Amino acid sequence: MDNQSLLALSEKYGNPIYVYNTEKIISQYNRMTNAFSNVPKLKINYAVKANSNINILKVLNTLKSGVDCVSIQEVKLALEAGFNVKDIFFTPSGISFEEMETATKLGVQITLDSLSVLEKFGAKYSNIPVCLRINPHVMAGGNHKISVGHIDSKFGISIYQIDGIKNIVEKTGLKINGIHMHTGSDIYNIDAFLTATEILLNTVKEFDTIEFVDFGSGFKVPYKEGDIETNLEKMGATLSNRFNEFCKEYGRELTMIFEPGKFLVSSAGSFLVKVNVVKPTPNIVFIGVNSGLNHLLRPMMYDAYHHITNISNPEGEEKIYDVVGYICENDTFGSNRRISEVSENDVLCIHNAGAYCFSMASNYNSRFRPAEVLVHEGKDYLIRKEENFEDLLHNQIVLDL
Ligand code: LLP
């Protein structure tokens, strides 16, 4: 979105504010389906955790996307947004058996990720087909916190435990209808995807009841101009051919599934903040804004880069700044950044704020979580109000002390 429109939204709805543009979500969705258009049965399941505002879910529902949910609350949000039960895939890890049962009763597709749960599930629900998350033992992902397919990761059932799976399947009569993996987030190296794919397909061959293969996600999006990104079109061509060839070998037309989060919504979001203070020090000029790691944790949590521009003075002379938050620790949005000259009260735009930004926000320092605005077909809508003081106290039980 252009600077003037963003400034107008900041003016209209207040600041700090998250702004999402559905046009971008739609074009990313179409890019994804085009990249795999040679696969006869393709399903895109949006990873709700990236941005779970119900209106974002509704937009994806209109595109005929499915959803990938990791908590019963995400499943309920998806139902609330109008998704059909058959389009809801539940891929949690380490949750209670009761939560798994609640999802099972709602009728969504269940993915199990440990032998122990498989055994319990098989004993009670042997008539309900399940998908298995395997751990292919492949190192992939932009950061150790989000690399989840390697041998030391808690996720999935190890490919070395296939015999264990088969024993349980035989004993309980459970039907395995899908095989799933997700190896990490921010993966730009196509080879990591392709290596993991071969391992995944080898696992599929171990069962003759498979109907779908879920490749997870992890596509790296660019965070600044010229940044590396997964070459989706190239990967789509290679993976589609391999998948189609595999289906022939397997003797069944399987459904290919992806569960993108970042790819669909990251670039559709902007986070607008206001400059409270410009603070030159002997070493650094700090820009202190009306936000912090409570609203956008990624730079602090993953050393993630989010591009920052001054939309109040886009043509100004560039200077070097550290953009920091107001939280009582060194919360930094960006160090050593070249930004057009910043004055107090300017509005800065933090880019790529559509994925894992609001959804990871908190009330740390007893701050309110900000409002969210959706720009859809040329109109803007408030889709979440800023919190207020009552919200902060809402679930607290005030004792008469
Ligand atoms: N499927 C499963 C099972 C997942 O666990 C995830 C993300 C996805 C799909 C979507 O991955 P994506 O397309 O967004 O890369 N908070 C971190 C990212 C954590 C991702 C966790 N799982 C961040 O802000 O970078």
Side-chain angles (χ1 to χ4, degrees):
M1 287 180 64
D2 65 84
N3 293 341
Q4 283 316 315
S5 318
L6 288 172
L7 270 179
L9 293 174
S10 163
E11 197 59 36
K12 177 169 173 187
Y13 294 103
N15 185 298
I17 195 155
Y18 277 101
V19 178
Y20 311 121
N21 182 359
T22 60
E23 207 178 302
K24 189 72 194 176
I25 299 176
I26 296 167
S27 68
Q28 288 294 92
Y29 185 86
N30 291 337
R31 210 182 130 197
M32 181 115 220
T33 50
N34 285 339
F36 294 93
S37 58
N38 283 338
V39 175
K41 288 188 184 167
L42 175 73
K43 189 157 181 53
I44 308 296
N45 287 341
Y46 168 60
V48 173
K49 62 182 85 86
N51 188 326
S52 52
N53 188 293
I54 193 155
N55 301 288
I56 300 280
L57 301 184
K58 284 178 137 194
V59 169
L60 282 147
N61 192 24
T62 63
L63 299 176
K64 308 250 175 302
S65 171
V67 273
D68 164 55
C69 301
V70 290
S71 69
I72 192 69
Q73 291 80 359
E74 287 187 352
V75 170
K76 289 181 179 170
L77 274 175
L79 287 170
E80 192 75 27
F83 280 90
N84 211 306
V85 164
K86 72 168 182 29
D87 292 321
I88 303 178
F89 285 60
F90 192 45
T91 61
S93 174
I95 64 165
S96 73
F97 195 67
E98 290 70 33
E99 188 172 334
M100 196 64 93
E101 288 190 290
T102 310
T104 305
K105 285 173 190 150
L106 287 173
V108 304
Q109 171 67 52
I110 304 284
T111 296
L112 303 178
D113 98 326
S114 78
L115 290 180
S116 131
V117 179
L118 185 64
E119 200 151 24
K120 270 193 232 163
F121 196 92
K124 212 162 165 187
Y125 301 104
S126 62
N127 57 329
I128 298 180
V130 290
C131 169
L132 296 179
R133 177 169 183 170
I134 59 139
N135 184 327
H137 305 318
V138 167
M139 183 57 92
N143 179 298
H144 77 276
K145 294 195 185 81
I146 51 175
S147 299
V148 292
H150 57 80
I151 195 150
D152 292 322
S153 154
K154 67 175 181 179
F155 292 95
I157 302 174
S158 167
I159 42 165
Y160 301 126
Q161 293 174 317
I162 299 287
D163 286 347
I165 300 175
K166 285 184 161 175
N167 282 339
I168 298 171
V169 167
E170 218 165 279
K171 210 166 65 190
T172 59
L174 197 60
K175 178 180 158 189
I176 309 299
N177 64 350
I179 297 289
H180 169 276
M181 70 169 180
H182 172 73
T183 57
S185 203
D186 282 344
I187 310 167
Y188 67 90
N189 182 357
I190 297 185
D191 290 345
F193 271 111
L194 299 180
T195 305
T197 293
E198 290 310 319
I199 297 168
L200 188 72
L201 296 180
N202 276 334
T203 311
V204 173
K205 278 198 247 168
E206 298 282 342
F207 303 90
D208 55 14
T209 50
I210 304 302
E211 289 158 17
F212 65 88
V213 186
D214 188 333
F215 291 79
S217 180
F219 311 110
K220 163 90 178 65
V221 298
Y223 282 90
K224 57 184 158 185
E225 233 179 86
D227 197 8
I228 43 171
E229 63 179 302
T230 313
N231 187 334
L232 193 78
E233 284 67 24
K234 186 168 165 204
M235 190 176 104
T238 313
L239 208 55
S240 302
N241 287 342
R242 177 68 187 104
F243 186 73
N244 290 340
E245 172 196 290
F246 177 81
C247 289
K248 273 193 210 129
E249 204 182 300
Y250 188 71
R252 184 175 305 142
E253 202 168 75
L254 301 165
T255 302
M256 177 185 237
I257 300 184
F258 287 100
E259 311 164 336
K262 277 177 191 160
F263 184 82
L264 293 180
V265 295
S266 174
S267 58
S270 304
F271 183 43
L272 308 181
V273 296
K274 200 172 248 182
V275 177
N276 281 340
V277 61
V278 177
K279 184 174 181 179
T281 69
N283 241 350
I284 293 169
V285 182
F286 289 102
I287 302 298
V289 300
N290 61 348
S291 179
L293 67 85
N294 52 327
H295 294 158
L296 202 166
L297 184 62
R298 302 193 73 255
M300 288 288 282
M301 179 103 172
Y302 314 108
D303 289 326
Y305 180 98
H306 281 260
H307 199 55
I308 304 176
T309 50
N310 182 358
I311 59 174
S312 295
N313 182 27
E315 305 304 330
E317 188 194 341
E318 289 189 333
K319 303 212 162 149
I320 305 291
Y321 300 105
D322 273 19
V323 180
V324 296
Y326 54 21
I327 291 292
C328 60
E329 40 187 294
N330 286 325
D331 58 336
T332 302
F333 288 118
S335 282
N336 229 350
R337 292 296 178 85
R338 194 178 285 278
I339 302 174
S340 52
E341 187 167 14
V342 178
S343 311
E344 291 178 0
N345 291 319
D346 278 356
V347 175
L348 305 187
C349 176
I350 304 184
H351 297 251
N352 281 90
Y356 306 105
C357 291
F358 189 94
S359 65
M360 293 179 76
S362 75
N363 291 119
Y364 188 37
N365 281 203
S366 299
R367 296 278 178 190
F368 307 142
R369 287 183 299 163
E372 297 179 289
V373 165
L374 191 73
V375 178
H376 181 59
E377 295 174 349
K379 286 199 188 129
D380 49 85
Y381 305 87
L382 184 66
I383 55 168
R384 186 192 299 266
K385 293 186 275 189
E386 187 192 27
E387 288 175 338
N388 59 33
F389 194 67
E390 284 71 46
D391 294 326
L392 282 187
L393 276 170
H394 185 67
N395 284 324
Q396 300 193 41
I397 296 159
V398 185
L399 303 180
D400 196 12
L401 299 174

